[in-house]
Amino acid sequence: MIIELAVAAMEELVRLAQMGEPLWMTSLDGSTSVLNEEEYIRTFPRGIGPKPTGFNCEASKETCVVIMNHISLVEILMDVHQWSTVFSAIVSKASTLDVLSTGIAGNYNGALQVMTAEFQVPSPLVPTRESYYVRYCKHHAEGTWAVVDVSLDNIRPNPAMRCRRRPSGCLIQEMPNGYSKVTWIEHVEIDDRGVHNLYKQLVSSGHAFGAKRWIATLDRQCERLASLMATNIPTGDAGVITNQDGRKSMLKLAERMVISFCAGVGASTAHTWTTLSGTGADDVRVMTRKSVDDPGRPPGIVLSAATSFWLPVSPKRVFDFLRDENSRN
């Protein structure tokens, strides 16, 4: 049953990636592709059954050329540790429960994995989304790969389910010069009644969990990994760190800092928050967790405190203010 579901999901993903209007409509602000739900139901009548009552549909599509070859991308997506590290701001925890097929010897063509993952926005005010699904990887035409996820909740019903993944994933096409063209599809059905009012707009617009965020994260991480490998940095551009080992260490440190920060502000079920005070709008939440075998951090108790508030200025303006040493203190 899982294999049949995965094969049907793969076929759907490839068609979703290749089709345009009327299935995909441009959003009102012209920035994203949004799924036409009625057209979708007409085009793909089988799938994983009707949308559960009270759930909203979130579906988006985004395309980008990234600085990484297609084989390396497939390897990252099919290795749960690499995948959750690259997308650490979105994936708060993930594990492979079962490997049904490792694919053809030497590559992941035909690989099937049953997985569970939890997706987050770095804020305690947005509940995480837990998903139980199969991931299937397939080599299509020369230089084209696809990796698809689809929920298994209809095979093993879960009454507490709040999130269902319809066929989601990406189509990866080899480009000359070692780059890859990636088309990302994110399609979930979600009960998002637990989202705080501050974040409702961010979540419903698709910016919180949509394809645009996955693609932007992937693009940035590919650039980071490319600069990690680069050997030909001109001496004038190197700044303070002049040798390659120093640059590698700095990038590794930055990665650990990001992972640690996201773990410290997200709503992941791996860590439990306690709300200290406030009237709901300005809650301060605290969390303690144990630090064991954490590189670069002494063992002991880590205390995190987080709150969220709204400012009537653009994100760029806030970012520039915080990173300017003259205004920061």
Side-chain angles (χ1 to χ4, degrees), residues 8 18 71 121 135 144 172 259 278 298:
Q18 292 169 344
I71 302 297
V121 170
R135 176 165 293 179
T144 301
I172 303 165
I259 291 169

mmCIF file of all heavy atoms in Angstrom, residues 8 18 71 121 135 144 172 259 278 298:
data_model
loop_
_atom_site.group_PDB
_atom_site.id
_atom_site.type_symbol
_atom_site.label_atom_id
_atom_site.label_comp_id
_atom_site.label_asym_id
_atom_site.label_seq_id
_atom_site.Cartn_x
_atom_site.Cartn_y
_atom_site.Cartn_z
ATOM 1 N N ALA A 8 2.032 6.839 -6.908
ATOM 2 C CA ALA A 8 0.992 7.792 -7.331
ATOM 3 C C ALA A 8 1.386 9.223 -6.947
ATOM 4 O O ALA A 8 1.182 10.173 -7.714
ATOM 5 C CB ALA A 8 -0.347 7.428 -6.684
ATOM 6 N N GLN A 18 5.203 20.610 -13.391
ATOM 7 C CA GLN A 18 5.276 20.983 -14.805
ATOM 8 C C GLN A 18 4.064 21.781 -15.286
ATOM 9 O O GLN A 18 4.130 22.435 -16.325
ATOM 10 C CB GLN A 18 5.451 19.719 -15.660
ATOM 11 C CG GLN A 18 6.822 19.077 -15.445
ATOM 12 C CD GLN A 18 6.942 17.695 -16.066
ATOM 13 O OE1 GLN A 18 5.934 17.068 -16.406
ATOM 14 N NE2 GLN A 18 8.161 17.196 -16.194
ATOM 15 N N ILE A 71 23.180 15.504 -7.879
ATOM 16 C CA ILE A 71 23.429 14.298 -7.085
ATOM 17 C C ILE A 71 23.612 14.654 -5.604
ATOM 18 O O ILE A 71 23.062 13.996 -4.713
ATOM 19 C CB ILE A 71 24.682 13.538 -7.612
ATOM 20 C CG1 ILE A 71 24.504 13.160 -9.094
ATOM 21 C CG2 ILE A 71 24.967 12.301 -6.762
ATOM 22 C CD1 ILE A 71 23.364 12.210 -9.397
ATOM 23 N N VAL A 121 8.216 27.252 12.837
ATOM 24 C CA VAL A 121 8.593 28.645 12.602
ATOM 25 C C VAL A 121 9.367 29.037 13.853
ATOM 26 O O VAL A 121 8.951 28.665 14.948
ATOM 27 C CB VAL A 121 7.336 29.533 12.457
ATOM 28 C CG1 VAL A 121 7.690 31.006 12.462
ATOM 29 C CG2 VAL A 121 6.603 29.180 11.183
ATOM 30 N N ARG A 135 8.867 9.012 2.044
ATOM 31 C CA ARG A 135 9.661 9.810 1.101
ATOM 32 C C ARG A 135 10.191 8.868 0.021
ATOM 33 O O ARG A 135 10.752 7.822 0.330
ATOM 34 C CB ARG A 135 10.824 10.500 1.829
ATOM 35 C CG ARG A 135 11.762 11.263 0.900
ATOM 36 C CD ARG A 135 12.669 12.216 1.656
ATOM 37 N NE ARG A 135 11.877 13.301 2.244
ATOM 38 C CZ ARG A 135 12.402 14.272 2.980
ATOM 39 N NH1 ARG A 135 13.705 14.298 3.221
ATOM 40 N NH2 ARG A 135 11.628 15.214 3.464
ATOM 41 N N THR A 144 17.486 14.403 -14.428
ATOM 42 C CA THR A 144 16.309 14.889 -13.685
ATOM 43 C C THR A 144 15.936 13.896 -12.583
ATOM 44 O O THR A 144 15.750 12.709 -12.845
ATOM 45 C CB THR A 144 15.099 15.084 -14.628
ATOM 46 O OG1 THR A 144 15.458 16.024 -15.639
ATOM 47 C CG2 THR A 144 13.894 15.615 -13.869
ATOM 48 N N ILE A 172 14.349 18.134 -9.419
ATOM 49 C CA ILE A 172 15.712 18.671 -9.531
ATOM 50 C C ILE A 172 16.238 18.387 -10.930
ATOM 51 O O ILE A 172 16.289 17.232 -11.346
ATOM 52 C CB ILE A 172 16.642 18.003 -8.489
ATOM 53 C CG1 ILE A 172 16.093 18.210 -7.074
ATOM 54 C CG2 ILE A 172 18.065 18.532 -8.596
ATOM 55 C CD1 ILE A 172 16.728 17.295 -6.031
ATOM 56 N N ILE A 259 21.393 26.530 14.555
ATOM 57 C CA ILE A 259 20.647 25.354 15.038
ATOM 58 C C ILE A 259 20.260 25.563 16.504
ATOM 59 O O ILE A 259 19.116 25.327 16.914
ATOM 60 C CB ILE A 259 21.479 24.064 14.852
ATOM 61 C CG1 ILE A 259 21.601 23.736 13.363
ATOM 62 C CG2 ILE A 259 20.858 22.887 15.602
ATOM 63 C CD1 ILE A 259 22.601 22.642 13.031
ATOM 64 N N GLY A 278 2.073 37.823 31.598
ATOM 65 C CA GLY A 278 1.554 38.492 30.422
ATOM 66 C C GLY A 278 0.083 38.235 30.227
ATOM 67 O O GLY A 278 -0.515 37.345 30.833
ATOM 68 N N PRO A 298 29.597 24.206 27.365
ATOM 69 C CA PRO A 298 29.825 23.373 28.555
ATOM 70 C C PRO A 298 28.564 22.609 28.953
ATOM 71 O O PRO A 298 27.460 23.078 28.701
ATOM 72 C CB PRO A 298 30.210 24.400 29.636
ATOM 73 C CG PRO A 298 29.707 25.715 29.144
ATOM 74 C CD PRO A 298 29.687 25.642 27.639
#
